[in-house]
Amino acid sequence: MQNKHLVVLSGAGVSAESGLATFRDSGGLWKGYDVHEVASIDGWYQNPAKVLDFYNLRRRQLKDTSPNIAHQRIAELEEHFSVSVITQNVDNLHERAGSTNVVHLHGELTKARSVADTNSEIDIGYSDINPEDRASDGNQLRPAIVWFGEMVPMIEVAAEIVSKADILVVIGTSLAVYPAAGLIHYSREDIRKFIIDPGVPELMSYQGWHHIQKRASEGMSELIKEL
Ligand code: OAD
């Protein structure tokens, strides 16, 4: 069992029990904000101050948020498996729970970069980014978030990881956003595949998935029994 490669593909639902809103559920972030205004590269060009405000708020909220049991159970899987976590989340709750191998597809709230250089990421912790803040190259500093309309730099790395999975666990994501949603198609046919979600995501129309229709924390406990 020790050497099996278990891959977790997570989304906003895994952080819901920590108090962070998901995007598309009722009360989700995209019900209160226009996604194109605050999370797209066009929105950034139109009104950078508004975008900075949105992410400053998310970052301040994250500072006062803790990992929940689901994050902890995922971290504990490392005692039995070789675990890779691929997350669409921009929070750092997987890492704070102890997961050591986390790929962030959509960037990280606690990092910033120059608008002109994708490789200029710096750690900013929970500090705000202000309109006049400059990166070391003299350009405006922006959140190191992958916005709609931008390339997803980690997607090939993530696809390679999924292709080597012996067990695939999809947790708390509607799989509504590509290319992240397409990652499941890189897995081998014969592996065990689980989805933990209280709703019924689109994915359930695919063959071969075991659906644990529960919230992330309870769902992870059930998964551990199954494994
Ligand atoms: P969504 O809001 O689209 O989906 C959240 C999923 O979590 C849904 O399937 C819910 O049923 C499920 N869920 C809700 N509460 C849960 C709980 N307590 N336990 C487990 N599951 C629960 O969020 P994502 O799929 O993560 O991208 O969204 C993907 C991307 O869309 C985000 O990374 C973000 C957003 O636009 C960017 O901003 C670039």
Side-chain angles (χ1 to χ4, degrees):
M1 196 159 85
Q2 188 74 30
N3 293 324
K4 279 203 172 160
H5 184 206
L6 188 152
V7 175
V8 176
L9 176 60
S10 74
V14 78
S15 297
E17 289 165 80
S18 293
L20 298 181
T22 60
F23 295 96
R24 294 174 182 79
D25 292 305
S26 68
L29 276 177
W30 297 156
K31 310 284 182 211
Y33 290 92
D34 181 339
V35 51
H36 300 292
E37 284 182 5
V38 299
S40 79
I41 187 65
D42 292 338
W44 168 258
Y45 289 136
Q46 274 162 26
N47 192 344
K50 186 170 198 167
V51 176
L52 290 178
D53 275 353
F54 175 77
Y55 287 101
N56 287 342
L57 203 63
R58 307 267 80 72
R59 206 176 296 108
R60 285 183 214 158
Q61 190 184 16
L62 179 59
K63 186 181 178 187
D64 298 323
T65 301
S66 302
N68 65 55
I69 288 172
H71 298 106
Q72 285 159 11
R73 295 270 179 276
I74 291 168
E76 285 160 16
L77 290 173
E78 292 188 18
E79 292 163 22
H80 304 286
F81 300 96
S82 157
V83 180
S84 302
V85 177
I86 300 168
T87 188
Q88 294 164 86
N89 298 344
V90 297
D91 65 49
N92 55 6
L93 299 179
H94 281 302
E95 288 91 341
R96 279 162 60 192
S99 284
T100 59
N101 189 10
V102 183
V103 171
H104 284 271
L105 283 176
H106 294 162
E108 291 172 76
L109 271 177
T110 55
K111 292 189 176 161
R113 69 168 175 91
S114 160
V115 290
D117 184 2
T118 48
N119 294 318
S120 62
E121 283 189 8
I122 54 165
D123 275 309
I124 57 164
Y126 301 103
S127 312
D128 285 357
I129 306 176
N130 298 302
E132 65 280 8
D133 290 347
R134 304 277 144 197
S136 57
D137 62 3
N139 287 297
Q140 172 68 46
L141 206 57
R142 58 161 272 184
I145 302 287
V146 179
W147 288 319
F148 287 99
E150 296 191 300
M151 305 273 286
V152 178
M154 295 307 285
I155 197 71
E156 285 182 17
V157 171
E160 175 79 13
I161 292 169
V162 172
S163 74
K164 294 188 175 138
D166 299 309
I167 301 167
L168 181 59
V169 179
V170 172
I171 180 164
T173 172
S174 61
L175 291 175
V177 173
Y178 283 81
L183 282 173
I184 55 165
H185 301 298
Y186 287 83
S187 68
R188 293 197 323 270
E189 294 260 321
D190 57 337
I191 65 169
R192 296 179 81 190
K193 292 179 282 192
F194 298 86
I195 178 155
I196 300 171
D197 197 300
V200 184
E202 179 74 19
L203 177 60
M204 292 321 296
S205 55
Y206 294 106
Q207 297 269 312
W209 287 84
H210 178 77
H211 188 192
I212 300 176
Q213 195 167 6
K214 294 199 167 146
R215 293 183 308 160
S217 55
E218 298 167 83
M220 276 306 301
S221 301
E222 190 163 322
L223 173 79
I224 287 163
K225 279 188 224 149
E226 292 271 349
L227 293 174

